Amino acid sequence: MRDLRPLPAALYLPGWQLFPPLVRALSLSTAEDPNLGPGMHVLGANSARPVGADALIGPPSHIRKGDFMKYVLGAKCVKCGREYPAAPGLTTCACGGILDIVYDYAAIRRHFSPKSLADCRDYSMWRYRPLLPVEEESAPPPLRVGWSPLYKADRLAQALGLDTLYLKDDGQNPTSSLKDRASALAVVKAREAGADTIACSSTGNAASSLAGNAAAAGLSTYIFVPSRAPRGKVAQLRIFGATVISVEGSYEDTFELSRAAIDRWGWYNRNAAINPYLSEGKKTVTLEILEQLGWQAPDYIALSGGDGCTIAGAWKGLKDLYAAGFIDRLPRLISVQAEGCCPLNRAIETGKPWEPMAENTLADSIAVGVPRNPDKALCAIRESDGVAVNVSDGEILEAMRLLGRTQGVFGEPAGAAGTAGVKKAVELGLIPAGSTVVSIVTGNGLKDVQSGIQAAGEPMRVSPDMDALLAAFAAQDIRP
């Protein structure tokens, strides 16, 4: 198993010290900005409520470049096309649609290139700062997020029947999941908005990543989780000092309660399907993958999905690299969901609008029956000519064992689901055996030890006696 990081991550300098100035500072607060539209939601230290004024800001050339971030043109609704300035407290469009951050790719091409990164010694997500919507003066949070290893997984490839397979182990982030990428950016944007408290709802990983990154930055957090959240994840939240609210209900119930609380108390909203900046943090996983592959695009990138935010962010990163001239072709996505909760993939397979589903899977991180970012997620799968694969809990448990026994990687159920999807896609003939595939392990197995034991089984128990050990070995046909 080969680690494809170009250089050892021994030296670390924040990206804001390594890249040239990107933006001018904001000259007015979010609440004072007259260009935010009627009904458009903003949030900051004391505001999560709609503010008035004309909402439509014309074509991209009319957005006030330079007022916010050097390479950011603004934000655009994926549903109605309405455009907004990229204020730090930006959330949803007046129509209720989700916003997408729009960049000036021509300017990025002039000032940012693979050569820029070859000379950069910041081995974190912040090495891609020109492709991130943050202010010049905004320092990254203290925890080092990103630049997780990409392994060439030859033994696992052989087991799955693939010629070339890579594993991106994002369980090595500070709080052990890909969600650290979104939460690190949320902390930066909360500071820019003047907020001192951040809140979110989560099945577990987004919550723990927010709690950890916010704690390191000195911000308070309120976290809403469904009562089924694994205790390992809840323990992380409490250790990081979060105020944790365990909701007796579904993820949908949890989300709605968190939204009502955020509206009531004006906390900064870290919910990825509401806050358009969080997908920008998540996209750094694919920026890293392509850099670690020497800017040679694989044929497929596989990852599991729940709310739809992660796969949407992954696709945004790939499109950014293509538009900025870093890569000359786009990979196809493999969208993996659990059979017991697959509203997005079911929509892809049937060609019909998505419909809510029950949350029947042990993979808690993707057990989302009412996805909050369906538009971007479905668009990502379709635009990439992607493959939708649903896997059973048994197939997820098998993938956990395969990851551990062939590559020494311990993934939680949702983290291993991507690999389960790759295995199934090969078996069904959905992807050729000669393909080059990257599977993203989104979370570490120590977050859900109970599922790990379910996958691997209990250890043998013997008395401290050699005869007892020999008998136990014989019973299990173990021959040292």
Side-chain angles (χ1 to χ4, degrees), residues 226-308:
S227 57
R228 60 175 164 76
R231 294 189 62 78
K233 296 179 182 180
V234 175
Q236 277 189 302
L237 298 176
R238 298 297 295 141
I239 285 292
F240 296 144
T243 299
V244 182
I245 301 94
S246 179
V247 180
E248 297 291 343
S250 67
Y251 175 70
E252 169 71 3
D253 299 327
T254 306
F255 183 94
E256 291 300 335
L257 182 59
S258 77
R259 180 158 63 178
I262 289 167
D263 287 344
R264 181 183 182 95
W265 284 290
W267 301 323
Y268 189 84
N269 192 333
R270 186 251 178 255
N271 285 323
I274 297 296
N275 187 327
Y277 294 117
L278 301 191
S279 287
E280 298 297 304
K282 290 184 178 184
K283 79 181 182 186
T284 60
V285 70
T286 43
L287 305 185
E288 285 179 17
I289 288 170
L290 270 294
E291 184 180 3
Q292 290 169 319
L293 289 175
W295 307 113
Q296 299 300 307
D299 298 309
Y300 297 90
I301 295 179
L303 68 166
S304 60
D307 236 351

Side-chain angles (χ1 to χ4, degrees), residues 211-235:
N213 281 274
L219 301 178
S220 300
T221 51
Y222 287 81
I223 309 293
F224 295 77
V225 296
S227 57
R228 60 175 164 76
R231 294 189 62 78
K233 296 179 182 180
V234 175

Side-chain angles (χ1 to χ4, degrees), residues 421-443:
V422 172
K423 182 177 186 293
K424 193 165 189 175
V426 173
E427 292 170 349
L428 294 175
L430 299 176
I431 61 176
S435 303
T436 296
V437 180
V438 177
S439 182
I440 303 176
V441 180
T442 54

Side-chain angles (χ1 to χ4, degrees), residues 158-162 387 389-392 395 398-399 402 419-433:
Q158 183 178 10
L160 301 187
L162 277 173
V387 177
V389 184
N390 300 322
V391 292
S392 67
E395 289 167 327
E398 181 185 1
L402 271 174
T419 299
V422 172
K423 182 177 186 293
K424 193 165 189 175
V426 173
E427 292 170 349
L428 294 175
L430 299 176
I431 61 176

Side-chain angles (χ1 to χ4, degrees), residues 74-206:
K76 186 174 182 177
C77 178
V78 300
K79 183 179 290 185
C80 73
R82 185 170 294 184
E83 293 161 353
Y84 298 95
L90 199 62
T91 56
T92 54
C93 178
C95 76
I98 298 167
L99 301 179
D100 211 13
I101 303 301
V102 182
Y103 291 88
D104 183 345
Y105 295 110
I108 291 172
R109 280 175 177 258
R110 290 193 298 270
H111 300 111
F112 188 52
S113 69
K115 176 63 167 61
S116 309
L117 287 167
D119 296 335
C120 176
R121 296 193 299 175
D122 176 1
Y123 291 97
S124 77
M125 62 178 275
W126 302 104
R127 66 192 282 107
Y128 307 107
R129 195 170 175 116
L131 285 169
L132 295 174
V134 294
E135 301 289 350
E136 175 188 356
E137 290 81 5
S138 295
L143 295 183
R144 181 178 164 193
V145 175
W147 206 246
S148 59
L150 182 73
Y151 299 122
K152 192 167 188 296
D154 291 337
R155 295 187 67 234
L156 180 58
Q158 183 178 10
L160 301 187
L162 277 173
D163 286 356
T164 308
L165 176 66
Y166 295 89
L167 286 179
K168 178 68 167 171
D169 187 7
D170 243 34
Q172 292 196 32
N173 278 310
T175 73
S176 304
S177 83
L178 183 150
K179 302 296 179 67
D180 280 324
R181 299 174 183 275
S183 292
L185 197 58
V187 167
V188 171
K189 300 310 290 186
R191 283 171 161 174
E192 290 177 3
D196 59 9
T197 302
I198 315 180
C200 78
S201 62
S202 168
T203 54
N205 282 335

